[in-house]
PDB file of all heavy atoms in Angstrom:
ATOM      1  N   VAL A  78      -2.087-153.953 150.270  1.00  0.00           N
ATOM      2  CA  VAL A  78      -0.910-153.482 151.134  1.00  0.00           C
ATOM      3  C   VAL A  78      -0.286-152.417 150.329  1.00  0.00           C
ATOM      4  O   VAL A  78      -0.052-152.496 149.064  1.00  0.00           O
ATOM      5  CB  VAL A  78      -0.014-154.760 151.233  1.00  0.00           C
ATOM      6  CG1 VAL A  78       1.255-154.232 152.057  1.00  0.00           C
ATOM      7  CG2 VAL A  78      -0.619-155.790 152.006  1.00  0.00           C
ATOM      8  N   ARG A  79       0.054-151.339 150.989  1.00  0.00           N
ATOM      9  CA  ARG A  79       0.714-150.250 150.432  1.00  0.00           C
ATOM     10  C   ARG A  79       2.213-150.334 150.816  1.00  0.00           C
ATOM     11  O   ARG A  79       2.554-150.328 151.957  1.00  0.00           O
ATOM     12  CB  ARG A  79       0.124-148.870 150.747  1.00  0.00           C
ATOM     13  CG  ARG A  79       0.825-147.714 150.082  1.00  0.00           C
ATOM     14  CD  ARG A  79       0.144-146.413 150.382  1.00  0.00           C
ATOM     15  NE  ARG A  79      -0.177-146.206 151.776  1.00  0.00           N
ATOM     16  CZ  ARG A  79      -0.900-145.157 152.202  1.00  0.00           C
ATOM     17  NH1 ARG A  79      -1.608-144.478 151.358  1.00  0.00           N
ATOM     18  NH2 ARG A  79      -1.086-144.991 153.489  1.00  0.00           N
ATOM     19  N   SER A  80       3.014-150.331 149.725  1.00  0.00           N
ATOM     20  CA  SER A  80       4.462-150.615 150.041  1.00  0.00           C
ATOM     21  C   SER A  80       5.338-149.277 150.366  1.00  0.00           C
ATOM     22  O   SER A  80       6.257-148.979 149.717  1.00  0.00           O
ATOM     23  CB  SER A  80       5.098-151.297 148.782  1.00  0.00           C
ATOM     24  OG  SER A  80       4.954-150.537 147.642  1.00  0.00           O
ATOM     25  N   ALA A  81       4.775-148.499 151.219  1.00  0.00           N
ATOM     26  CA  ALA A  81       5.563-147.369 151.632  1.00  0.00           C
ATOM     27  C   ALA A  81       6.304-147.748 152.898  1.00  0.00           C
ATOM     28  O   ALA A  81       5.912-148.646 153.688  1.00  0.00           O
ATOM     29  CB  ALA A  81       4.508-146.245 152.048  1.00  0.00           C
ATOM     30  N   ALA A  82       7.477-147.063 153.117  1.00  0.00           N
ATOM     31  CA  ALA A  82       8.334-147.526 154.261  1.00  0.00           C
ATOM     32  C   ALA A  82       7.603-147.249 155.585  1.00  0.00           C
ATOM     33  O   ALA A  82       7.220-146.159 155.935  1.00  0.00           O
ATOM     34  CB  ALA A  82       9.581-146.638 154.147  1.00  0.00           C
ATOM     35  N   GLY A  83       7.491-148.403 156.278  1.00  0.00           N
ATOM     36  CA  GLY A  83       6.881-148.330 157.645  1.00  0.00           C
ATOM     37  C   GLY A  83       5.396-147.898 157.579  1.00  0.00           C
ATOM     38  O   GLY A  83       4.756-147.619 158.656  1.00  0.00           O
ATOM     39  N   ASN A  84       4.686-148.085 156.438  1.00  0.00           N
ATOM     40  CA  ASN A  84       3.240-147.665 156.349  1.00  0.00           C
ATOM     41  C   ASN A  84       2.532-148.732 155.494  1.00  0.00           C
ATOM     42  O   ASN A  84       2.800-148.772 154.343  1.00  0.00           O
ATOM     43  CB  ASN A  84       3.112-146.235 155.730  1.00  0.00           C
ATOM     44  CG  ASN A  84       1.732-145.828 155.683  1.00  0.00           C
ATOM     45  OD1 ASN A  84       0.840-146.488 156.321  1.00  0.00           O
ATOM     46  ND2 ASN A  84       1.409-144.805 154.911  1.00  0.00           N
ATOM     47  N   THR A  85       1.665-149.503 156.219  1.00  0.00           N
ATOM     48  CA  THR A  85       0.958-150.484 155.455  1.00  0.00           C
ATOM     49  C   THR A  85      -0.608-150.110 155.641  1.00  0.00           C
ATOM     50  O   THR A  85      -0.931-149.516 156.534  1.00  0.00           O
ATOM     51  CB  THR A  85       1.132-151.877 155.941  1.00  0.00           C
ATOM     52  OG1 THR A  85       0.943-151.910 157.322  1.00  0.00           O
ATOM     53  CG2 THR A  85       2.651-152.266 155.753  1.00  0.00           C
ATOM     54  N   ALA A  86      -1.319-150.559 154.642  1.00  0.00           N
ATOM     55  CA  ALA A  86      -2.737-150.303 154.751  1.00  0.00           C
ATOM     56  C   ALA A  86      -3.495-151.671 154.387  1.00  0.00           C
ATOM     57  O   ALA A  86      -3.844-151.910 153.287  1.00  0.00           O
ATOM     58  CB  ALA A  86      -3.197-149.253 153.762  1.00  0.00           C
ATOM     59  N   LEU A  87      -3.656-152.506 155.372  1.00  0.00           N
ATOM     60  CA  LEU A  87      -4.261-153.885 155.208  1.00  0.00           C
ATOM     61  C   LEU A  87      -5.779-153.597 155.213  1.00  0.00           C
ATOM     62  O   LEU A  87      -6.314-153.000 156.126  1.00  0.00           O
ATOM     63  CB  LEU A  87      -3.831-154.837 156.297  1.00  0.00           C
ATOM     64  CG  LEU A  87      -2.322-155.161 156.335  1.00  0.00           C
ATOM     65  CD1 LEU A  87      -2.088-155.994 157.546  1.00  0.00           C
ATOM     66  CD2 LEU A  87      -1.978-155.800 155.064  1.00  0.00           C
ATOM     67  N   ARG A  88      -6.470-154.127 154.185  1.00  0.00           N
ATOM     68  CA  ARG A  88      -7.858-153.940 154.183  1.00  0.00           C
ATOM     69  C   ARG A  88      -8.540-155.336 153.853  1.00  0.00           C
ATOM     70  O   ARG A  88      -8.033-156.135 153.178  1.00  0.00           O
ATOM     71  CB  ARG A  88      -8.252-152.912 153.146  1.00  0.00           C
ATOM     72  CG  ARG A  88      -7.694-151.611 153.280  1.00  0.00           C
ATOM     73  CD  ARG A  88      -8.035-150.634 152.097  1.00  0.00           C
ATOM     74  NE  ARG A  88      -7.511-151.192 150.862  1.00  0.00           N
ATOM     75  CZ  ARG A  88      -8.253-151.233 149.789  1.00  0.00           C
ATOM     76  NH1 ARG A  88      -9.446-150.844 149.716  1.00  0.00           N
ATOM     77  NH2 ARG A  88      -7.765-151.742 148.639  1.00  0.00           N
ATOM     78  N   GLY A  89      -9.827-155.502 154.439  1.00  0.00           N
ATOM     79  CA  GLY A  89     -10.426-156.741 154.173  1.00  0.00           C
ATOM     80  C   GLY A  89     -11.782-156.746 154.724  1.00  0.00           C
ATOM     81  O   GLY A  89     -12.240-155.875 155.467  1.00  0.00           O
ATOM     82  N   VAL A  90     -12.655-157.776 154.418  1.00  0.00           N
ATOM     83  CA  VAL A  90     -13.990-157.860 154.878  1.00  0.00           C
ATOM     84  C   VAL A  90     -14.094-159.316 155.355  1.00  0.00           C
ATOM     85  O   VAL A  90     -13.819-160.153 154.635  1.00  0.00           O
ATOM     86  CB  VAL A  90     -15.006-157.564 153.875  1.00  0.00           C
ATOM     87  CG1 VAL A  90     -16.383-157.782 154.323  1.00  0.00           C
ATOM     88  CG2 VAL A  90     -14.849-156.160 153.275  1.00  0.00           C
ATOM     89  N   THR A  91     -14.758-159.484 156.518  1.00  0.00           N
ATOM     90  CA  THR A  91     -15.215-160.843 156.905  1.00  0.00           C
ATOM     91  C   THR A  91     -16.677-160.746 157.255  1.00  0.00           C
ATOM     92  O   THR A  91     -17.154-159.755 157.799  1.00  0.00           O
ATOM     93  CB  THR A  91     -14.409-161.417 158.066  1.00  0.00           C
ATOM     94  OG1 THR A  91     -14.651-160.472 159.206  1.00  0.00           O
ATOM     95  CG2 THR A  91     -12.948-161.476 157.872  1.00  0.00           C
ATOM     96  N   GLY A  92     -17.378-161.841 156.875  1.00  0.00           N
ATOM     97  CA  GLY A  92     -18.809-161.741 157.133  1.00  0.00           C
ATOM     98  C   GLY A  92     -19.388-163.127 157.465  1.00  0.00           C
ATOM     99  O   GLY A  92     -18.824-164.158 156.997  1.00  0.00           O
TER     100      GLY A  92
END
Side-chain angles (χ1 to χ4, degrees):
V78 178
R79 181 170 54 188
S80 60
N84 183 12
T85 61
L87 298 175
R88 301 178 299 136
V90 177
T91 61

